Amino acid sequence: MKLNLIVKDLGLDKSFDDREITYITDNSAKVCDGCIFICIEGRRFDGHTKAAEALANGAAAVVVQKDLGLENQILVENTRSAYAKICAAFYGHPEREIKIIGVTGTNGKTTSCFILKSILDKLGYKTGLLGTVKNIVGDKEYPAALTTPDCYELFGLFREMADCGCEYCVMEVSSQALDQRRVDGIRFDAAIFTNLTRDHLDYHGSFENYKAAKHMLFENSDLAILNMDDESAEEMTEGTDCRTVTFSVNNDRCDYSAKNIRNSASGVKYELVSNNNIGRVKFAVPGNFSVYNSMGAAVCLVELGMDFKTVLDAAAECTGVPGRMEVVPTDTPYTVLIDYAHTPDGLENVLSTVREITDGKVIVVFGCGGDRDKTKRPIMGEIAVKMADVAVITSDNPRSEDPESIIEDITAGIGRYGAKVIVDSDRTGAIEKALETAKEGDIVVLAGKGQETYQILASGKIHYDEREVVAKILSEKAAENK
């Protein structure tokens, strides 16, 4: 696409040297001949300092929000927003060719998206998925570096979806992506709000800022599906023009409610009730959070015009999600579960569910990420010792922080509760101690890593898959006992 066509798409009148655009980037190290370089003003680095160098290195234009007096600078109010809109134009606006469902909230985004995709697939709609675990386009799968991709990758994936015949895309929309305007210019056909609890305060600075970022999704959606059992739900659509539909486990006055919830090790069952319909829902992952995730997905699709009973029947065929209450094959008298729970609310949800489905002990292995919100660390420590019989405190992506210091922050919240506490900053050692502690009928929960197959240490990222770690520990133990 020619440069002036892109500029016109931004609503600007000015003309430039009309070169063919080859690439768009906000990374100065990736500047190439014929690209557009987007100057992003970040917390640690300002891309405007590389604008002149980018032009000298062959960039066709630089997009700035400060007048640098450069030839072929495109001056805009907000370069982050312009980045998304330029990428959309570059790829021919594929976001207008598919129906897009966004899911936002602290917990439940990944599971909700997998449920949505599973139901849509079973109903015969070709569907793409963008999220934390992976990105799916037709029959192809791509690794996911971010919950919501960078603008250039995002609109490239939309283009691929549209070209291969996808009718829908379901996507996780993170608060950082919203704040960084990565989805600007997209009009969502529907948006689901799952819940809002403390997370990412290291980035947003306050809970109010975090909430305001989530609100941005509903400013650009036609339909809002809100979990009204969360106290922030009503605020999500304040001042917006989107149609709002509510669901609840506790409030009969909502548009949809769940009744007769039955929880077991094999999953959840309940009746989904609205003014016009009542139907039975079965979902293969246990826990009250599974009720909310499956409700939100089912309600969304029904409100988009799909048949109520057909949607619920398709939901019953959904299987689990990688890294979410995932059972690790062990051939042991106890059970090992992997879950992504890395927030206070997430950890509490998982441990309360596990407590309901076992008569044995609950053993949890968890840590907190380094260079992230420190305020949640003692809260998670308190939850672990309150709800588990054994809490093994360890590392979880410590990054540049000292793992022992992170553990000290966690143990500050323990107080005088009954759980046995074991501390081992080496995650493999911690998992080994948890497995050694487990007896018949117990459940070991490895919390925090979920689908991740890496650890981020001060020295960098290393391969680390807890499924492999568990298998190796048990294999070595079996060899010792021969």
Side-chain angles (χ1 to χ4, degrees):
M1 177 177 280
K2 295 285 189 179
L3 176 59
N4 283 327
L5 277 176
I6 292 175
V7 173
K8 184 179 179 182
D9 207 81
L10 286 174
L12 300 178
D13 255 343
K14 191 174 177 183
S15 292
F16 297 85
D17 178 17
D18 207 17
R19 294 173 62 182
E20 189 72 30
I21 300 306
T22 59
Y23 183 58
I24 303 159
T25 184
D26 65 344
N27 185 340
S28 59
K30 294 184 177 180
V31 167
C32 60
D33 192 56
C35 79
I36 296 177
F37 175 58
I38 314 292
C39 300
I40 302 294
E41 187 175 1
R43 296 180 180 183
R44 299 179 182 177
F45 176 76
D46 186 352
H48 291 79
T49 62
K50 293 288 186 179
E53 181 182 318
L55 289 170
N57 289 338
V62 292
V63 178
V64 299
Q65 61 188 38
K66 304 172 185 177
D67 189 349
L68 303 178
L70 297 171
E71 189 176 352
N72 274 14
Q73 70 170 21
I74 301 172
L75 184 61
V76 297
E77 184 177 337
N78 186 303
T79 54
R80 290 186 185 276
S81 181
Y83 186 18
K85 293 172 183 176
I86 287 170
C87 289
F90 178 78
Y91 281 108
H93 290 289
E95 78 283 0
R96 299 174 183 172
E97 301 174 36
I98 51 179
K99 294 175 182 175
I100 302 175
I101 301 172
V103 182
T104 201
T106 305
N107 298 306
K109 295 188 296 297
T110 298
T111 301
S112 296
C113 282
F114 270 86
I115 297 171
L116 284 163
K117 185 179 188 308
S118 177
I119 294 174
L120 286 165
D121 286 344
K122 285 175 173 57
L123 296 184
Y125 297 98
K126 194 169 186 178
T127 305
L129 180 144
L130 304 176
T132 305
V133 175
K134 55 188 171 183
N135 298 322
I136 304 174
V137 179
D139 298 326
K140 296 180 181 177
E141 295 187 359
Y142 303 101
L146 298 170
T147 297
T148 307
D150 160 86
C151 297
Y152 187 78
E153 180 186 7
L154 175 63
F155 286 93
L157 288 166
F158 283 153
R159 170 45 60 205
E160 192 175 343
M161 288 180 194
D163 288 349
C164 77
C166 286
E167 296 173 75
Y168 281 90
C169 170
V170 295
M171 64 180 291
E172 298 181 49
V173 187
S174 69
S175 57
Q176 291 100 320
L178 289 159
D179 183 67
Q180 294 170 9
R181 315 294 286 269
R182 284 182 235 157
V183 294
D184 271 22
I186 299 172
R187 187 70 186 177
F188 289 83
D189 291 87
I192 300 173
F193 171 72
T194 60
N195 51 63
L196 201 67
T197 60
R198 295 182 67 87
D199 199 18
H200 304 301
L201 300 194
D202 54 300
Y203 175 89
H204 293 287
S206 72
F207 188 73
E208 288 306 311
N209 290 343
Y210 181 36
K211 190 186 300 181
K214 296 292 190 185
H215 183 276
M216 293 171 71
L217 175 61
F218 301 92
E219 295 169 20
N220 294 292
S221 298
D222 293 329
L223 169 66
I225 308 296
L226 304 180
N227 167 20
M228 295 305 291
D229 290 341
D230 188 283
E231 61 185 17
S232 297
E234 286 189 13
E235 296 176 65
M236 288 298 112
T237 52
E238 284 182 356
T240 72
D241 60 1
C242 62
R243 180 168 70 92
T244 299
V245 176
T246 60
F247 68 94
S248 171
V249 167
N250 303 318
N251 188 345
D252 291 343
R253 290 174 294 176
C254 287
D255 298 307
Y256 292 82
S257 59
K259 299 294 181 185
N260 300 318
I261 298 170
R262 300 171 298 284
N263 222 326
S264 70
S266 62
V268 291
K269 295 178 181 179
Y270 61 94
E271 277 78 53
L272 182 61
V273 181
S274 72
N275 287 334
N276 302 316
N277 289 293
I278 180 170
R280 294 180 179 177
V281 180
K282 182 170 69 172
F283 181 57
V285 178
N288 279 341
F289 57 88
S290 289
V291 177
Y292 286 106
N293 293 336
S294 56
M295 275 182 81
V299 168
C300 177
L301 297 180
V302 170
E303 289 296 321
L304 284 174
M306 298 174 199
D307 179 70
F308 184 85
K309 184 179 185 304
T310 305
V311 167
L312 301 196
D313 288 346
E317 298 180 48
C318 295
T319 55
V321 179
R324 305 307 192 272
M325 292 289 283
E326 178 185 342
V327 178
V328 182
T330 58
D331 192 27
T332 58
Y334 54 84
T335 302
V336 180
L337 296 176
I338 288 178
D339 195 88
Y340 191 52
H342 61 287
T343 65
D345 186 59
L347 187 63
E348 185 172 2
N349 283 337
V350 167
L351 294 182
S352 63
T353 296
V354 171
R355 178 62 71 193
E356 288 179 20
I357 62 176
T358 182
D359 294 325
K361 288 183 178 179
V362 176
I363 303 164
V364 61
V365 178
F366 80 104
C368 291
D371 303 329
R372 296 294 185 267
D373 181 13
K374 294 185 178 183
T375 62
K376 70 181 182 182
R377 294 173 184 174
I379 300 171
M380 291 180 68
E382 181 179 8
I383 289 169
V385 294
K386 270 185 176 181
M387 303 190 71
D389 298 291
V390 180
V392 186
I393 304 171
T394 186
S395 296
D396 179 353
N397 295 334
R399 299 181 177 86
S400 68
E401 280 196 73
D402 176 12
E404 299 289 350
S405 176
I406 297 172
I407 290 171
E408 284 179 14
D409 289 342
I410 295 170
T411 55
I414 285 177
R416 297 182 178 179
Y417 295 100
K420 178 181 178 181
V421 177
I422 300 171
V423 174
D424 190 333
S425 60
D426 176 67
R427 194 168 180 98
T428 298
I431 293 171
E432 186 170 10
K433 288 180 173 64
L435 299 181
E436 288 173 351
T437 303
K439 308 296 182 187
E440 183 174 354
D442 293 347
I443 296 182
V444 178
V445 180
L446 308 182
K449 299 295 292 172
Q451 76 287 342
E452 293 178 354
T453 56
Y454 57 82
Q455 272 268 62
I456 306 175
L457 311 175
S459 57
K461 184 184 285 190
I462 63 168
H463 176 76
Y464 195 86
D465 187 328
E466 290 187 325
R467 301 152 195 79
E468 296 172 5
V469 171
V470 170
K472 184 178 179 183
I473 290 170
L474 294 177
S475 174
E476 291 175 350
K477 187 71 175 175
E480 287 175 12
N481 293 332
K482 281 185 177 179

